[in-house]
PDB file of all heavy atoms in Angstrom:
ATOM      1  N   ILE X   4     -38.129  -4.623 -16.093  1.00  0.00           N
ATOM      2  CA  ILE X   4     -37.554  -3.419 -16.693  1.00  0.00           C
ATOM      3  C   ILE X   4     -37.321  -3.603 -18.187  1.00  0.00           C
ATOM      4  O   ILE X   4     -36.811  -2.672 -18.833  1.00  0.00           O
ATOM      5  CB  ILE X   4     -36.308  -2.987 -15.960  1.00  0.00           C
ATOM      6  CG1 ILE X   4     -35.235  -4.121 -16.059  1.00  0.00           C
ATOM      7  CG2 ILE X   4     -36.579  -2.583 -14.545  1.00  0.00           C
ATOM      8  CD1 ILE X   4     -33.900  -3.723 -15.442  1.00  0.00           C
ATOM      9  N   LEU X  34       0.208  -4.060   2.556  1.00  0.00           N
ATOM     10  CA  LEU X  34      -1.052  -4.784   2.796  1.00  0.00           C
ATOM     11  C   LEU X  34      -1.253  -5.979   1.870  1.00  0.00           C
ATOM     12  O   LEU X  34      -2.282  -6.645   1.941  1.00  0.00           O
ATOM     13  CB  LEU X  34      -2.240  -3.858   2.718  1.00  0.00           C
ATOM     14  CG  LEU X  34      -2.261  -2.676   3.681  1.00  0.00           C
ATOM     15  CD1 LEU X  34      -3.415  -1.721   3.378  1.00  0.00           C
ATOM     16  CD2 LEU X  34      -2.384  -3.250   5.114  1.00  0.00           C
ATOM     17  N   LEU X  38      -3.902  -9.212   2.433  1.00  0.00           N
ATOM     18  CA  LEU X  38      -4.925  -9.298   1.417  1.00  0.00           C
ATOM     19  C   LEU X  38      -4.934 -10.702   0.751  1.00  0.00           C
ATOM     20  O   LEU X  38      -6.019 -11.286   0.493  1.00  0.00           O
ATOM     21  CB  LEU X  38      -4.767  -8.214   0.338  1.00  0.00           C
ATOM     22  CG  LEU X  38      -5.848  -8.133  -0.756  1.00  0.00           C
ATOM     23  CD1 LEU X  38      -7.175  -7.773  -0.154  1.00  0.00           C
ATOM     24  CD2 LEU X  38      -5.427  -7.142  -1.784  1.00  0.00           C
ATOM     25  N   SER X  40      -3.946 -13.439   2.164  1.00  0.00           N
ATOM     26  CA  SER X  40      -4.511 -14.389   3.113  1.00  0.00           C
ATOM     27  C   SER X  40      -6.055 -14.336   3.123  1.00  0.00           C
ATOM     28  O   SER X  40      -6.717 -15.320   3.206  1.00  0.00           O
ATOM     29  CB  SER X  40      -3.980 -14.105   4.522  1.00  0.00           C
ATOM     30  OG  SER X  40      -2.599 -14.249   4.520  1.00  0.00           O
ATOM     31  N   THR X  42      -8.005 -13.414   0.622  1.00  0.00           N
ATOM     32  CA  THR X  42      -8.523 -14.039  -0.637  1.00  0.00           C
ATOM     33  C   THR X  42      -8.395 -15.552  -0.606  1.00  0.00           C
ATOM     34  O   THR X  42      -9.207 -16.204  -1.193  1.00  0.00           O
ATOM     35  CB  THR X  42      -7.777 -13.468  -1.879  1.00  0.00           C
ATOM     36  OG1 THR X  42      -6.382 -13.676  -1.734  1.00  0.00           O
ATOM     37  CG2 THR X  42      -8.101 -12.010  -2.057  1.00  0.00           C
ATOM     38  N   GLY X  47     -11.417 -20.669  -0.265  1.00  0.00           N
ATOM     39  CA  GLY X  47     -11.829 -21.840   0.438  1.00  0.00           C
ATOM     40  C   GLY X  47     -13.375 -21.993   0.450  1.00  0.00           C
ATOM     41  O   GLY X  47     -13.948 -23.042   0.272  1.00  0.00           O
ATOM     42  N   VAL X  56     -22.711 -27.481  -4.805  1.00  0.00           N
ATOM     43  CA  VAL X  56     -23.551 -27.346  -5.996  1.00  0.00           C
ATOM     44  C   VAL X  56     -23.309 -28.553  -6.911  1.00  0.00           C
ATOM     45  O   VAL X  56     -24.291 -29.147  -7.469  1.00  0.00           O
ATOM     46  CB  VAL X  56     -23.191 -26.048  -6.776  1.00  0.00           C
ATOM     47  CG1 VAL X  56     -23.793 -26.053  -8.145  1.00  0.00           C
ATOM     48  CG2 VAL X  56     -23.645 -24.871  -5.972  1.00  0.00           C
ATOM     49  N   THR X  66     -22.664 -30.957 -13.664  1.00  0.00           N
ATOM     50  CA  THR X  66     -21.662 -31.765 -12.974  1.00  0.00           C
ATOM     51  C   THR X  66     -20.273 -31.532 -13.589  1.00  0.00           C
ATOM     52  O   THR X  66     -19.292 -31.403 -12.872  1.00  0.00           O
ATOM     53  CB  THR X  66     -21.991 -33.289 -13.077  1.00  0.00           C
ATOM     54  OG1 THR X  66     -23.324 -33.517 -12.562  1.00  0.00           O
ATOM     55  CG2 THR X  66     -20.976 -34.147 -12.305  1.00  0.00           C
ATOM     56  N   THR X  70     -17.290 -29.756 -11.603  1.00  0.00           N
ATOM     57  CA  THR X  70     -16.016 -30.449 -11.401  1.00  0.00           C
ATOM     58  C   THR X  70     -14.853 -29.533 -11.841  1.00  0.00           C
ATOM     59  O   THR X  70     -13.803 -29.435 -11.176  1.00  0.00           O
ATOM     60  CB  THR X  70     -15.976 -31.753 -12.195  1.00  0.00           C
ATOM     61  OG1 THR X  70     -17.120 -32.586 -11.836  1.00  0.00           O
ATOM     62  CG2 THR X  70     -14.720 -32.554 -11.952  1.00  0.00           C
ATOM     63  N   ASN X  79      -6.275 -22.772  -7.234  1.00  0.00           N
ATOM     64  CA  ASN X  79      -6.111 -21.352  -6.785  1.00  0.00           C
ATOM     65  C   ASN X  79      -5.875 -21.247  -5.320  1.00  0.00           C
ATOM     66  O   ASN X  79      -5.052 -20.466  -4.840  1.00  0.00           O
ATOM     67  CB  ASN X  79      -7.355 -20.579  -7.240  1.00  0.00           C
ATOM     68  CG  ASN X  79      -7.075 -19.127  -7.335  1.00  0.00           C
ATOM     69  OD1 ASN X  79      -5.989 -18.663  -7.116  1.00  0.00           O
ATOM     70  ND2 ASN X  79      -8.113 -18.360  -7.644  1.00  0.00           N
ATOM     71  N   THR X  87       1.684 -16.944  -0.437  1.00  0.00           N
ATOM     72  CA  THR X  87       1.649 -16.257   0.862  1.00  0.00           C
ATOM     73  C   THR X  87       2.743 -16.744   1.794  1.00  0.00           C
ATOM     74  O   THR X  87       3.416 -15.923   2.520  1.00  0.00           O
ATOM     75  CB  THR X  87       0.294 -16.417   1.547  1.00  0.00           C
ATOM     76  OG1 THR X  87      -0.734 -15.927   0.689  1.00  0.00           O
ATOM     77  CG2 THR X  87       0.193 -15.677   2.861  1.00  0.00           C
ATOM     78  N   ARG X  89       5.658 -18.046   0.908  1.00  0.00           N
ATOM     79  CA  ARG X  89       6.908 -17.514   0.380  1.00  0.00           C
ATOM     80  C   ARG X  89       7.094 -16.033   0.802  1.00  0.00           C
ATOM     81  O   ARG X  89       8.221 -15.637   1.128  1.00  0.00           O
ATOM     82  CB  ARG X  89       7.007 -17.643  -1.140  1.00  0.00           C
ATOM     83  CG  ARG X  89       7.345 -19.010  -1.622  1.00  0.00           C
ATOM     84  CD  ARG X  89       7.605 -19.003  -3.070  1.00  0.00           C
ATOM     85  NE  ARG X  89       7.885 -20.314  -3.535  1.00  0.00           N
ATOM     86  CZ  ARG X  89       8.021 -20.628  -4.812  1.00  0.00           C
ATOM     87  NH1 ARG X  89       7.931 -19.713  -5.745  1.00  0.00           N
ATOM     88  NH2 ARG X  89       8.281 -21.858  -5.206  1.00  0.00           N
ATOM     89  N   MET X  90       6.065 -15.269   0.647  1.00  0.00           N
ATOM     90  CA  MET X  90       6.178 -13.859   1.016  1.00  0.00           C
ATOM     91  C   MET X  90       6.457 -13.708   2.543  1.00  0.00           C
ATOM     92  O   MET X  90       7.299 -12.868   2.918  1.00  0.00           O
ATOM     93  CB  MET X  90       4.840 -13.114   0.708  1.00  0.00           C
ATOM     94  CG  MET X  90       4.671 -12.940  -0.808  1.00  0.00           C
ATOM     95  SD  MET X  90       3.109 -12.262  -1.215  1.00  0.00           S
ATOM     96  CE  MET X  90       3.360 -10.641  -0.672  1.00  0.00           C
ATOM     97  N   LYS X  98      14.601 -10.548   9.506  1.00  0.00           N
ATOM     98  CA  LYS X  98      14.733 -10.376  10.942  1.00  0.00           C
ATOM     99  C   LYS X  98      15.952 -11.225  11.483  1.00  0.00           C
ATOM    100  O   LYS X  98      16.624 -10.785  12.383  1.00  0.00           O
ATOM    101  CB  LYS X  98      13.494 -10.844  11.608  1.00  0.00           C
ATOM    102  CG  LYS X  98      12.332  -9.937  11.393  1.00  0.00           C
ATOM    103  CD  LYS X  98      11.100 -10.496  12.098  1.00  0.00           C
ATOM    104  CE  LYS X  98       9.895  -9.567  11.768  1.00  0.00           C
ATOM    105  NZ  LYS X  98       8.656 -10.117  12.372  1.00  0.00           N
ATOM    106  N   LYS X 102      21.127 -16.587  11.388  1.00  0.00           N
ATOM    107  CA  LYS X 102      20.888 -18.012  11.575  1.00  0.00           C
ATOM    108  C   LYS X 102      21.037 -18.783  10.263  1.00  0.00           C
ATOM    109  O   LYS X 102      21.597 -19.841  10.252  1.00  0.00           O
ATOM    110  CB  LYS X 102      19.464 -18.212  12.115  1.00  0.00           C
ATOM    111  CG  LYS X 102      19.339 -17.750  13.526  1.00  0.00           C
ATOM    112  CD  LYS X 102      17.936 -18.039  14.056  1.00  0.00           C
ATOM    113  CE  LYS X 102      17.776 -17.526  15.489  1.00  0.00           C
ATOM    114  NZ  LYS X 102      16.442 -17.767  16.011  1.00  0.00           N
ATOM    115  N   GLU X 109      30.295 -23.597   6.527  1.00  0.00           N
ATOM    116  CA  GLU X 109      30.977 -24.614   7.341  1.00  0.00           C
ATOM    117  C   GLU X 109      32.069 -23.848   8.144  1.00  0.00           C
ATOM    118  O   GLU X 109      32.788 -22.987   7.589  1.00  0.00           O
ATOM    119  CB  GLU X 109      31.581 -25.687   6.506  1.00  0.00           C
ATOM    120  CG  GLU X 109      30.537 -26.484   5.737  1.00  0.00           C
ATOM    121  CD  GLU X 109      31.215 -27.542   4.857  1.00  0.00           C
ATOM    122  OE1 GLU X 109      32.452 -27.737   4.963  1.00  0.00           O
ATOM    123  OE2 GLU X 109      30.495 -28.091   4.057  1.00  0.00           O
ATOM    124  N   GLU X 113      40.540 -21.916  12.405  1.00  0.00           N
ATOM    125  CA  GLU X 113      41.120 -20.574  12.325  1.00  0.00           C
ATOM    126  C   GLU X 113      42.629 -20.664  12.225  1.00  0.00           C
ATOM    127  O   GLU X 113      43.292 -21.404  12.935  1.00  0.00           O
ATOM    128  CB  GLU X 113      40.727 -19.786  13.594  1.00  0.00           C
ATOM    129  CG  GLU X 113      39.247 -19.499  13.666  1.00  0.00           C
ATOM    130  CD  GLU X 113      38.889 -18.742  14.892  1.00  0.00           C
ATOM    131  OE1 GLU X 113      39.837 -18.116  15.514  1.00  0.00           O
ATOM    132  OE2 GLU X 113      37.717 -18.711  15.310  1.00  0.00           O
ATOM    133  N   VAL X 116      47.417 -15.716  12.505  1.00  0.00           N
ATOM    134  CA  VAL X 116      48.184 -14.765  11.694  1.00  0.00           C
ATOM    135  C   VAL X 116      49.033 -13.919  12.603  1.00  0.00           C
ATOM    136  O   VAL X 116      48.523 -13.320  13.550  1.00  0.00           O
ATOM    137  CB  VAL X 116      47.267 -13.880  10.845  1.00  0.00           C
ATOM    138  CG1 VAL X 116      48.059 -12.895  10.023  1.00  0.00           C
ATOM    139  CG2 VAL X 116      46.350 -14.739   9.963  1.00  0.00           C
ATOM    140  N   PRO X 120      55.005  -5.944  13.590  1.00  0.00           N
ATOM    141  CA  PRO X 120      55.059  -4.754  14.462  1.00  0.00           C
ATOM    142  C   PRO X 120      54.879  -3.521  13.560  1.00  0.00           C
ATOM    143  O   PRO X 120      55.509  -3.426  12.540  1.00  0.00           O
ATOM    144  CB  PRO X 120      56.395  -4.799  15.137  1.00  0.00           C
ATOM    145  CG  PRO X 120      57.244  -5.753  14.346  1.00  0.00           C
ATOM    146  CD  PRO X 120      56.274  -6.711  13.677  1.00  0.00           C
ATOM    147  N   PRO X 126      54.855  11.789  18.196  1.00  0.00           N
ATOM    148  CA  PRO X 126      54.339  13.115  17.923  1.00  0.00           C
ATOM    149  C   PRO X 126      55.476  14.073  17.492  1.00  0.00           C
ATOM    150  O   PRO X 126      56.623  13.844  17.818  1.00  0.00           O
ATOM    151  CB  PRO X 126      53.702  13.488  19.243  1.00  0.00           C
ATOM    152  CG  PRO X 126      54.390  12.645  20.270  1.00  0.00           C
ATOM    153  CD  PRO X 126      54.753  11.372  19.544  1.00  0.00           C
ATOM    154  N   ASP X 131      61.456  19.897  16.414  1.00  0.00           N
ATOM    155  CA  ASP X 131      61.208  19.815  14.953  1.00  0.00           C
ATOM    156  C   ASP X 131      60.512  21.049  14.418  1.00  0.00           C
ATOM    157  O   ASP X 131      60.809  21.542  13.312  1.00  0.00           O
ATOM    158  CB  ASP X 131      60.342  18.554  14.707  1.00  0.00           C
ATOM    159  CG  ASP X 131      61.034  17.278  15.110  1.00  0.00           C
ATOM    160  OD1 ASP X 131      62.284  17.245  15.000  1.00  0.00           O
ATOM    161  OD2 ASP X 131      60.349  16.319  15.483  1.00  0.00           O
ATOM    162  N   LEU X 135      62.029  23.778  11.679  1.00  0.00           N
ATOM    163  CA  LEU X 135      61.301  24.165  10.470  1.00  0.00           C
ATOM    164  C   LEU X 135      61.197  25.703  10.362  1.00  0.00           C
ATOM    165  O   LEU X 135      61.354  26.246   9.325  1.00  0.00           O
ATOM    166  CB  LEU X 135      59.940  23.499  10.482  1.00  0.00           C
ATOM    167  CG  LEU X 135      59.011  23.790   9.264  1.00  0.00           C
ATOM    168  CD1 LEU X 135      59.673  23.265   7.974  1.00  0.00           C
ATOM    169  CD2 LEU X 135      57.660  23.208   9.430  1.00  0.00           C
ATOM    170  N   GLY X 153      69.412  11.156  10.938  1.00  0.00           N
ATOM    171  CA  GLY X 153      69.507   9.677  10.983  1.00  0.00           C
ATOM    172  C   GLY X 153      68.374   9.001  10.209  1.00  0.00           C
ATOM    173  O   GLY X 153      68.387   7.803  10.018  1.00  0.00           O
ATOM    174  N   GLU X 154      67.353   9.714   9.765  1.00  0.00           N
ATOM    175  CA  GLU X 154      66.276   9.180   8.972  1.00  0.00           C
ATOM    176  C   GLU X 154      66.346   9.626   7.565  1.00  0.00           C
ATOM    177  O   GLU X 154      66.789  10.716   7.273  1.00  0.00           O
ATOM    178  CB  GLU X 154      64.893   9.606   9.524  1.00  0.00           C
ATOM    179  CG  GLU X 154      64.564   8.998  10.914  1.00  0.00           C
ATOM    180  CD  GLU X 154      63.165   9.356  11.340  1.00  0.00           C
ATOM    181  OE1 GLU X 154      62.414   9.984  10.546  1.00  0.00           O
ATOM    182  OE2 GLU X 154      62.858   8.965  12.411  1.00  0.00           O
ATOM    183  N   ALA X 156      64.640  10.665   3.943  1.00  0.00           N
ATOM    184  CA  ALA X 156      63.399  11.347   3.612  1.00  0.00           C
ATOM    185  C   ALA X 156      62.502  10.506   2.712  1.00  0.00           C
ATOM    186  O   ALA X 156      62.743   9.710   1.944  1.00  0.00           O
ATOM    187  CB  ALA X 156      63.691  12.646   2.964  1.00  0.00           C
TER     188      ALA X 156
END
Side-chain angles (χ1 to χ4, degrees):
I4 57 174
L34 296 175
L38 183 65
S40 298
T42 56
V56 169
T66 305
T70 304
N79 201 2
T87 303
R89 281 188 183 174
M90 290 175 69
K98 291 179 182 176
K102 290 182 180 179
E109 296 177 11
E113 295 180 17
V116 178
D131 296 330
L135 181 63
E154 292 185 4

